[in-house]
Amino acid sequence: QVQLVESGGGVVQPGGSLRLSCAASGFTFSSYGMHWVRQAPGKGLEWVAFIRYDGSNKYYADSVKGRFTISRDNSKNTLYLQMNSLRAEDTAVYYCAKDGYGSGSYVHYWGQGTLVTVSS
Amino acid sequence: EIVLTQSPDFQSVTPKEKVTITCRASQSIGSSLHWYQQKPDQSPKLLIKYASQSFSGVPSRFSGSGSGTDFTLTINSLEAEDAATYYCHQSSSLPFSFGPGTKVDIK
């Protein structure tokens, strides 16, 4: 079955950096687009970034553009999110999520999430 | 950027009652509208894709309809296990976006 396991969350100071990873299994990783979606404590879902199945195109929410970078290593079945210049408002649970197709559609499956806390 | 609004924000419902949640897009998105259920302390789960296509394994009491800018998620004969927050999501154009959510509580 599909498994998405996020790691790399933790506490970081404002202005700091963090890299999240998502280990995927149970499906042909290189055939599907992948998303990062976040949820601030007690708040709703916010789409963060998407990468096509082959890594050829990457898209970002305006709130993270220029600070976050999504990437993937299809040889390792792993998705990444490099987060720089972190702000307090980036505090959230970050979910790795599998797209229904390769180029951006519904979110098929979600990981359990990893908590990122930006605080001094 | 496409903005999704949901109504109501919150609904308290008796078991076996019918629930209707609406999602409105700020511009036409065809049928590229999807619905998710999130229970407390859990990850979201896909219910409906492309406005009306039920995801495998989802109980038949969940159904979706609509196109263009107006969409509806219907839960027929609500069960206690359906207590959750429901989100709509559009994949018509980037940046993708989610609605603010509708919390359904069981009386």
Side-chain angles (χ1 to χ4, degrees), chain A residues 35 37 39 43-47 50 59-62 95 99 101 103-113, chain B residues 1 34 36 38 41-46 48-50 53 55 87 89-91 94-101:
Chain A
H35 304 260
V37 178
Q39 187 168 35
K43 302 297 184 182
L45 302 172
E46 180 186 13
W47 176 80
F50 174 78
Y59 306 96
Y60 301 92
D62 288 344
Y95 294 103
D99 191 69
Y101 297 103
S103 303
S105 63
Y106 57 93
V107 175
H108 203 186
Y109 289 101
W110 305 67
Q112 286 305 300
Chain B
E1 178 176 338
H34 322 292
Y36 306 88
Q38 186 179 33
D41 298 318
Q42 292 187 18
S43 304
K45 290 184 170 63
L46 177 66
I48 304 287
K49 55 180 179 169
Y50 293 109
Q53 299 175 22
F55 181 52
Y87 295 93
H89 159 231
Q90 68 83 18
S91 63
L94 288 149
F96 299 146
S97 51
F98 287 89

Side-chain angles (χ1 to χ4, degrees), chain A residues 1 7 20 26 43 46 114:
Chain A
Q1 73 280 20
S7 60
L20 306 183
K43 302 297 184 182
E46 180 186 13
T114 186

Side-chain angles (χ1 to χ4, degrees), chain A residues 4-9 18-24 36 71 77-83 94-96 113-114:
Chain A
L4 300 167
V5 180
E6 302 95 336
S7 60
L18 214 53
R19 187 174 87 151
L20 306 183
S21 299
C22 171
W36 286 102
S71 62
N77 289 352
T78 303
L79 177 73
Y80 303 100
L81 185 68
Q82 178 66 45
M83 303 186 296
Y94 284 74
Y95 294 103
C96 161
T114 186

